[in-house]
Amino acid sequence: MNTNNYKERDSNIELLRCLLMFMIMCCHIKAHGLRFINETITPMEAFMSSFNWSGSVANYCFMLISGFYLSSRKFSWRKEGKIYVQLWFYSSIFGLYLYLKQCNIYPQGLIIDSNSVPKIMDKKHLIASFLPFLTNQNWYASAYLIFYPLSIYANKLLQNLERKEHFNLCIILIIISAGLSSIPLQKAFDPDYLIYFFTFYFIANYIKKYNPSCFNNFRKNLIISICLISFFVLWANGIYYVSKCIEFVSNNYNFFVSLIINDLLKVITAIYIFCTFRELKLKQNKIINLIGGCTFGIYLIHNNRTFKHYMWFELFNTQSYIESVYLPLYCLSCVVILFVIGTLIELVRQKFFVLLKVIINKLFLEKNINKFNNS
């Protein structure tokens, strides 16, 4: 989360951050920026849906990165405050823009489909934008703000775990978070992202502490990662073509696309992708570190709960390409453009906050000097 000290960052991990953010944006443009209105699944929809896995896998990787570094750093309320201020800054700016321009938005939390009806930005949603944590304007940021203080106690538990206990704890957490939560019709273990943070915290630190042989070979990690990614893409497209031949598969299309094994495979895929870049030998690169330090800002910019649908449907007008054969190319172009613009915006915000801090410190210093001289 820290956006400073670019030279001290591990460039291999910062490169991974950039890739992960790109993956998340590719997933989000399908999830939040496209409405397929056909009654039956089309080849184009099946193809676009075959990349839905990328969002979950990328978020799991981000959690692994957080867990990997948090175990060796002291908790700081100052850092907690900086993350909240960054979340509040983007949320409030977007809220004001949408309210002042009287833009069309979609009700918060709504899954966009052909029946979704936009509404004008009102005072209720404006107030929600100024309370981003309480109104969950960004689920990942909100979950991290809760998890970060709790990591103090996770660190203490980590220090007292034997290797076997540590391994067993990882298995139990994986079963709860990625296994039981995927069983159809049950509600007792619905996805709770806070438990995912703890799951990947202990997994990352098991890898960090014991460096198991199954994860310490770059070439092997890379091959397994590519195979797992290929499986997700082929599975989603394969189910579509099988559904055209078998009625039972067609009637239960969504079930087959999101089988329980897929959730477990996402966890495994995230671990191997993380380990691939952990073993990547990459020299310090200031540009990569600089861009990597902007990824959290890019996330807050493009995935704000109130702003995101307006951004995709109104600014990028993604729906106008829904029937075009160039839809994947257009979506890819939108993601690249948004990634670049988001990086520039976040860099400007960082510079602005540094300048603001200097001004405040200067005013505070002058006030204390005057107070001292007058005493």
Side-chain angles (χ1 to χ4, degrees):
M1 296 292 181
N2 183 22
T3 56
N4 299 320
N5 301 323
Y6 300 119
K7 293 182 179 179
E8 298 177 6
R9 290 171 170 266
D10 297 321
S11 293
N12 55 330
I13 300 299
E14 296 310 306
L15 180 61
L16 174 59
R17 288 184 198 269
C18 296
L19 175 62
L20 296 177
M21 188 50 56
F22 194 83
M23 290 167 59
I24 288 174
M25 294 169 75
C26 287
C27 175
H28 284 168
I29 194 171
K30 162 60 176 64
H32 308 308
L34 296 174
R35 288 179 290 177
F36 289 93
I37 58 178
N38 306 79
E39 293 184 2
T40 57
I41 304 295
T42 63
M44 179 62 75
E45 184 176 359
F47 175 76
M48 297 297 291
S49 298
S50 66
F51 296 95
N52 286 349
W53 59 270
S54 61
S56 298
V57 170
N59 280 314
Y60 295 163
C61 282
F62 270 120
M63 293 176 189
L64 283 165
I65 294 171
S66 295
F68 188 83
Y69 288 109
L70 280 180
S71 63
S72 56
R73 294 175 181 173
K74 292 184 178 180
F75 171 78
S76 169
W77 282 111
R78 183 179 179 182
K79 179 182 176 181
E80 177 88 351
K82 287 178 67 176
I83 296 170
Y84 180 82
V85 168
Q86 189 176 0
L87 171 64
W88 179 87
F89 175 80
Y90 283 119
S91 182
S92 58
I93 289 293
F94 290 146
L96 278 173
Y97 173 83
L98 293 170
Y99 183 74
L100 294 176
K101 297 278 290 184
Q102 288 293 279
C103 298
N104 285 332
I105 64 168
Y106 289 83
Q108 294 187 18
L110 184 67
I111 298 175
I112 299 301
D113 56 33
S114 58
N115 298 317
S116 302
V117 179
K119 60 180 291 186
I120 298 294
M121 177 73 171
D122 55 20
K123 291 183 179 179
K124 176 184 175 182
H125 288 88
L126 176 62
I127 294 172
S129 296
F130 277 87
L131 301 170
F133 176 72
L134 294 178
T135 58
N136 197 26
Q137 293 297 309
N138 185 289
W139 72 265
Y140 188 97
S142 297
Y144 186 86
L145 285 168
I146 297 173
F147 170 74
Y148 182 46
L150 295 177
S151 66
I152 300 171
Y153 305 99
N155 285 344
K156 292 184 178 181
L157 175 60
L158 184 65
Q159 294 169 6
N160 293 283
L161 283 175
E162 299 287 342
R163 178 167 184 171
K164 185 177 180 180
E165 294 173 325
H166 193 162
F167 178 81
N168 291 339
L169 178 60
C170 290
I171 297 299
I172 291 171
L173 288 172
I174 289 173
I175 292 173
I176 293 174
S177 60
L180 297 177
S181 63
S182 303
I183 298 176
L185 304 180
Q186 67 80 35
K187 295 296 180 182
F189 295 97
D190 274 352
D192 184 336
Y193 293 108
L194 193 57
I195 198 172
Y196 277 100
F197 271 99
F198 281 102
T199 300
F200 290 107
Y201 171 89
F202 286 105
I203 292 174
N205 283 285
Y206 184 87
I207 295 170
K208 180 179 181 179
K209 189 174 182 179
Y210 301 109
N211 195 27
S213 58
C214 56
F215 299 130
N216 62 11
N217 184 286
F218 170 78
R219 185 176 181 180
K220 181 176 68 175
N221 292 342
L222 179 62
I223 293 173
I224 293 175
S225 297
I226 293 174
C227 290
L228 289 169
I229 290 171
S230 300
F231 172 81
F232 285 121
V233 177
L234 293 173
W235 176 269
N237 284 284
I239 290 298
Y240 166 75
Y241 288 105
V242 171
S243 69
K244 295 300 179 182
C245 305
I246 304 176
E247 185 177 356
F248 177 75
V249 176
S250 178
N251 294 336
N252 298 275
Y253 180 81
N254 291 330
F255 171 78
F256 282 102
V257 169
S258 56
L259 276 174
I260 179 176
I261 191 174
N262 284 2
D263 289 320
L264 293 173
L265 281 179
K266 287 174 186 176
V267 173
I268 297 171
T269 304
I271 293 172
Y272 271 103
I273 291 176
F274 170 74
C275 290
T276 298
F277 280 83
R278 178 175 175 255
E279 297 297 326
L280 177 63
K281 306 303 180 184
L282 189 64
K283 294 182 179 180
Q284 287 290 317
N285 187 296
K286 187 176 180 179
I287 301 298
I288 292 177
N289 293 356
L290 184 71
I291 299 174
C294 295
T295 50
F296 185 57
I298 297 171
Y299 190 80
L300 295 178
I301 289 169
H302 94 277
N303 198 41
N304 178 269
R305 193 177 185 185
T306 305
F307 185 74
K308 59 187 177 184
H309 299 303
Y310 168 82
M311 177 188 68
W312 293 123
F313 287 115
E314 303 295 334
L315 297 182
F316 283 101
N317 197 20
T318 49
Q319 193 63 18
S320 64
Y321 288 82
I322 198 70
E323 299 292 340
S324 172
V325 294
Y326 299 107
L327 177 63
L329 181 60
Y330 181 73
C331 289
L332 181 61
S333 301
C334 290
V335 168
V336 173
I337 292 171
L338 185 56
F339 189 95
V340 173
I341 293 175
T343 301
L344 295 176
I345 292 174
E346 173 60 13
L347 287 173
V348 171
R349 185 205 66 83
Q350 291 177 21
K351 296 296 183 182
F352 171 73
F353 272 58
V354 170
L355 179 61
L356 187 62
K357 181 180 178 181
V358 171
I359 294 173
I360 292 174
N361 288 340
K362 185 177 180 181
L363 292 174
F364 182 76
L365 180 61
E366 289 178 353
K367 182 180 179 180
N368 285 341
I369 291 175
N370 293 332
K371 184 178 180 180
F372 177 78
N373 291 333
N374 295 329
S375 63

